Amino acid sequence: MAISIAILDCDLLLHGRGHKTLDRFDLDSVADNILLTQFGFPREFILYLVELLRESLCRRTQRSRAISPEVQVLAALGFYTSGSFQTSMGDTIGISQASMSRCVSNVTKALVEKAPQFITFNRDPSSKDQTFQEFLKVEGFPGVLGVLDCVQVAIKAPNSEDSSYVNKKGFHSVGCQLVCDSRGLLLSAETHWPGGLKDTEVLERSALYKQLQEISEGWLLGDRRYPLRKWLMTPVDCPESPAEFRYNLAHTATHEIVDRTFRAIQTRFKCLDGTKGYLQYSPERSSSILLACCVLHNASLQSGLDAWTLERTDPLEQPESLEQRPEDRDSQAEDLRKQLILKHFS
């Protein structure tokens, strides 16, 4: 049965019904408010994105009547920002569902290829000092290189009977380990983890973990689900002194940046918002879509857009504390945290 798709009525906008020339689509023919409301971004950013991905998209669609990069980008943005293949653009029929799916696939692959360009954990000394200063302005927590969290994005159950994607809340998901700076810019995004893994397991298996072992100055901030390490400061479980309470307050206020950032990403890219449904794809493709949205988040932020303009205001979930065996405790990290509290929060 044919499915009516209302995502890109390009032919209707340009030439009236019955005229099929998607290859000659003119982005200038679409009003600014349509671009912003239906596709989530202003014209200038969409034009920048088209040029950024043009070579890759043309390479993937070398057919005589290939869909133009402009249409492919708008089709993908329409899906990312709505979570549906049936986003309305004021009328019906534009491109077929099959073409829509190819556009999303092509743009997702092109954005994933750009991930190393836009998501980088930079340890350059001058960059590090600037990062320290920017985090210090948030709530007075010194030495912060980034804030760490692992979030879950709901997906359909994989075809196999693999329970590794069932998370602790009982639904299927892919886990995404994120690190961001004080502005909400992602420094690391690893999106391919089965939802059933614990945050600590994801961290220890991640590419980021190897980088963190080489840190000689500064640390990330992680919540109670992570172990205390010299390069990862966590809250004091049972604060007693005023200094420990001040440390925890500053830690919470600073760490909240990564939660706010992901809420903003979910709000802009509704395909990732579990309250609206789940991604109807395999774990592998869902992970690619998630990474593509992370690249778009950083690209838009670097282009001057506000990271948190569309942030949801849901209450933050309180993490459960990590149950650690005595032999897993890091005494050097505990001493370092005590010195930090004594020097900066007493």
Side-chain angles (χ1 to χ4, degrees), residues 75-130:
L77 291 180
F79 166 68
Y80 297 148
T81 57
S82 72
S84 171
F85 282 131
Q86 300 184 25
T87 304
S88 174
M89 193 174 161
D91 210 316
T92 57
I93 204 68
I95 57 177
S96 69
Q97 188 176 26
S99 293
M100 177 73 185
S101 181
R102 283 196 299 272
C103 289
V104 173
S105 179
N106 289 343
V107 173
T108 297
K109 290 176 182 176
L111 286 168
V112 167
E113 288 176 357
K114 297 291 183 182
Q117 176 181 337
F118 287 95
I119 304 175
T120 306
F121 190 62
N122 192 340
R123 290 174 293 159
D124 177 77
S126 61
S127 175
K128 179 181 64 178
D129 291 340
Q130 183 179 353

Side-chain angles (χ1 to χ4, degrees), residues 262-274:
F262 186 65
R263 288 203 305 266
I265 291 172
Q266 282 185 306
T267 304
R268 169 163 276 156
F269 304 110
K270 292 182 175 59
C271 66
L272 307 179
D273 186 354

